[in-house]
Amino acid sequence: MNNVGKAGIDPAFATPIYNVDCIDNLDNITKEIENCLPKIDWKSKDEWGTTHYLSTDNFSEDLFKQYKLNNLREQIQKHMISFCKAVGYIPTPYRMEAWFTKFEKGNYAHIHNHGTADISGVYYVQTTGDDGSIFFTSPCQAATCSHVFQHVVGSARPYTPKKGTMIMFPSYLEHGVQTNDTDNTRISLSFNISFQR
């Protein structure tokens, strides 16, 4: 009898990206956001040029409290708990900051990460799906040198935006937004979650 060993691929060092196709309670969340958008004084950061517009220039506001976005906060919390469970982390008390981003024709977001936060995310408020996809770059930059593995772990991964969808990812993961080449205004809400140590 011939014993043949099993072979398989172990996805070591995989980067988890949590993708929600459509959040619950969408009608009430849409109403909450429609009530607050006219109150926003859109800004751009001088040091970034006119890449895109922001609802804040310091990224530390509690938009959920300020604009009474209770239903959206509840959905983010629900999915944050699911994400943590999937990666084997038991959530501790946390702090969350959020801000709106607006992309007009010609706007984009340069490649960046969200520093020392733990989980970052984006919720799509208004989009046609062809007005600038978010993309993630590999945390393993050395893989771009490999002819064999660059297509698996070395290339950028785009996610097409759709109204009502949400993505969460490790805050260290480098990402950007492709240029909006349409006449549509794309609006999203970005957030950072930092757990108590």
Side-chain angles (χ1 to χ4, degrees):
M1 186 164 179
N2 199 0
N3 289 334
V4 179
K6 291 184 179 179
I9 299 291
D10 181 13
F13 310 115
T15 304
I17 296 177
Y18 185 89
N19 192 1
V20 184
D21 188 42
C22 187
I23 63 172
D24 296 334
N25 207 3
L26 187 58
D27 289 342
N28 287 328
I29 290 169
T30 300
K31 285 176 190 166
E32 286 178 344
I33 293 173
E34 284 173 351
N35 286 336
C36 79
L37 285 180
K39 301 171 188 171
I40 292 174
D41 178 23
W42 296 100
K43 307 163 177 58
S44 59
K45 287 188 77 69
D46 291 338
E47 59 270 30
W48 294 354
T50 55
T51 56
H52 59 285
Y53 301 93
L54 301 161
S55 63
T56 182
D57 54 6
N58 62 23
F59 306 106
S60 63
E61 295 177 6
D62 186 349
L63 288 184
F64 302 102
K65 185 176 180 181
Q66 183 179 353
Y67 294 115
K68 298 184 173 83
L69 301 174
N70 299 324
N71 290 298
L72 180 55
R73 183 182 186 98
E74 183 181 287
Q75 285 300 305
I76 291 172
Q77 180 174 313
K78 170 186 154 185
H79 288 288
M80 175 269 292
I81 290 168
S82 294
F83 189 18
C84 287
K85 185 177 181 182
V87 299
Y89 177 74
I90 298 170
T92 57
Y94 65 91
R95 181 181 82 252
M96 182 163 53
E97 292 97 16
W99 60 95
F100 285 103
T101 58
K102 180 170 73 167
F103 294 80
E104 301 285 5
K105 187 171 188 174
N107 289 161
Y108 65 96
H110 62 277
I111 295 173
H112 63 286
N113 64 47
H114 288 207
T116 60
D118 294 305
I119 293 175
S120 294
V122 60
Y123 168 72
Y124 293 101
V125 174
Q126 177 179 304
T127 178
T128 60
D130 59 358
D131 44 17
S133 293
I134 190 171
F135 63 91
F136 297 95
T137 62
S138 173
C140 180
Q141 289 302 307
T144 59
C145 301
S146 170
H147 182 67
V148 176
F149 296 106
Q150 68 178 348
H151 72 286
V152 178
V153 292
S155 57
R157 301 282 171 96
Y159 284 76
T160 303
K162 183 177 128 188
K163 181 178 177 176
T165 62
M166 181 167 53
I167 297 173
M168 291 187 192
F169 50 91
S171 300
Y172 63 77
L173 190 59
E174 298 274 325
H175 59 286
V177 177
Q178 296 167 340
T179 302
N180 180 359
D181 291 321
T182 73
D183 292 320
N184 181 61
T185 299
R186 175 188 178 282
I187 297 175
S188 57
L189 178 133
S190 297
F191 56 91
N192 285 336
I193 296 170
S194 300
F195 294 102
Q196 230 175 54
R197 302 296 194 259

